[in-house]
Amino acid sequence: MKKLIVIITVLYTVAAFAALGFISNWFRDQLTLGESVIVTTLVLSLPTVLILAIVAYWNEHNQWFTLLLVVVILGSSGYVIKSHHDAYGEWLPSPAAKDIETSGNATLNINGINSHTLSYRLELHNPGTVAHREFLIVTRDGQERRIRLPIFDDARSGYVSAKTPGDWIVLQLTTDANVVQAETGRFLLVHKSFRVNLQTGEVTILAVKSQN
């Protein structure tokens, strides 16, 4: 019984950490709604499983603890798999070849004491797959910065290839020289606007409106 407890606990822990790393791009990217649900479930279930495993290990004659451990592992695994399917149309995360499409470069003139031109583009990484990521690439003063924008909530979101950068993304100035407002274009089949801090990389969703 102790061997079973150790095996299932180790397997679940390894699988949970691998899923957390894969979904969050090894904790480098901002999470979308579907990813947040999965990550929250895994983060809450891991300490629960470890505590139950320790109790069950030292109380091997009380099989109820082992049964409860199995129930928690199966329940959280089932919920994560179902949530992943609901969000992305696939039961499990799977690596995808790196496919990148770009809007092409656009420019934005920033006037003021330190007037300069900002160059930007939107990149879609692995579009139409579970591993999709959307990045705003901004270049100013010769420095390039990559900022993830949570544009597509799931892999089923559609788009049309951009003929001009504005078909995918348009940046507008704000009163803060380090902050811009980004709005998706008509060729992305979801309309969103963001407040983007170019200095810190912080992104705030301002509006979401699905296009029919």
Side-chain angles (χ1 to χ4, degrees):
M1 185 65 72
K2 286 187 175 182
K3 183 179 292 187
L4 172 64
I5 293 170
V6 172
I7 291 174
I8 62 176
T9 302
V10 170
L11 288 177
Y12 181 79
T13 302
V14 171
F17 273 109
L20 286 170
F22 185 87
I23 291 172
S24 64
N25 193 21
W26 302 107
F27 311 101
R28 290 194 294 265
D29 292 342
Q30 179 180 345
L31 298 175
T32 62
L33 177 60
E35 293 168 341
S36 296
V37 171
I38 296 171
V39 168
T40 300
T41 302
L42 291 173
V43 168
L44 292 177
S45 68
L46 273 171
T48 303
V49 166
L50 292 175
I51 291 172
L52 283 174
I54 293 172
V55 174
Y57 187 87
W58 294 109
N59 294 271
E60 60 176 324
H61 299 299
N62 190 338
Q63 298 179 350
W64 286 108
F65 288 111
T66 303
L67 178 61
L68 184 58
L69 173 64
V70 173
V71 168
V72 171
I73 289 176
L74 293 179
S76 58
S77 299
Y79 181 77
V80 165
I81 292 172
K82 184 180 183 303
S83 298
H84 194 277
H85 183 268
D86 291 344
Y88 304 109
E90 296 185 14
W91 293 106
L92 295 171
S94 57
K98 196 168 185 179
D99 180 23
I100 301 176
E101 290 198 42
T102 179
S103 65
N105 289 318
T107 57
L108 182 66
N109 294 320
I110 300 178
N111 299 318
I113 297 177
N114 297 315
S115 299
H116 61 277
T117 298
L118 180 149
S119 174
Y120 67 92
R121 69 182 183 274
L122 183 68
E123 289 186 354
L124 307 183
H125 290 225
N126 299 317
T129 72
V130 176
H132 70 90
R133 297 285 189 274
E134 297 81 50
F135 292 95
L136 174 65
I137 315 298
V138 178
T139 302
R140 61 174 181 171
D141 300 328
Q143 299 294 318
E144 183 178 280
R145 185 177 180 90
R146 305 171 63 83
I147 302 172
R148 186 182 177 193
L149 296 182
I151 293 175
F152 296 140
D153 293 326
D154 56 56
R156 293 170 294 206
S157 298
Y159 69 97
V160 177
S161 295
K163 295 180 180 179
T164 65
D167 291 335
W168 278 7
I169 192 76
V170 176
L171 296 191
Q172 297 176 348
L173 298 174
T174 68
T175 55
D176 188 336
N178 290 316
V179 176
V180 296
Q181 182 170 327
E183 186 167 336
T184 57
R186 59 189 178 123
F187 281 9
L188 298 181
L189 305 187
V190 60
H191 181 75
K192 289 186 177 181
S193 59
F194 308 89
R195 182 181 175 87
V196 182
N197 190 310
L198 303 178
Q199 191 170 37
T200 65
E202 180 181 0
V203 175
T204 304
I205 300 177
L206 299 179
V208 179
K209 181 181 178 182
S210 297
Q211 295 178 345
N212 297 322

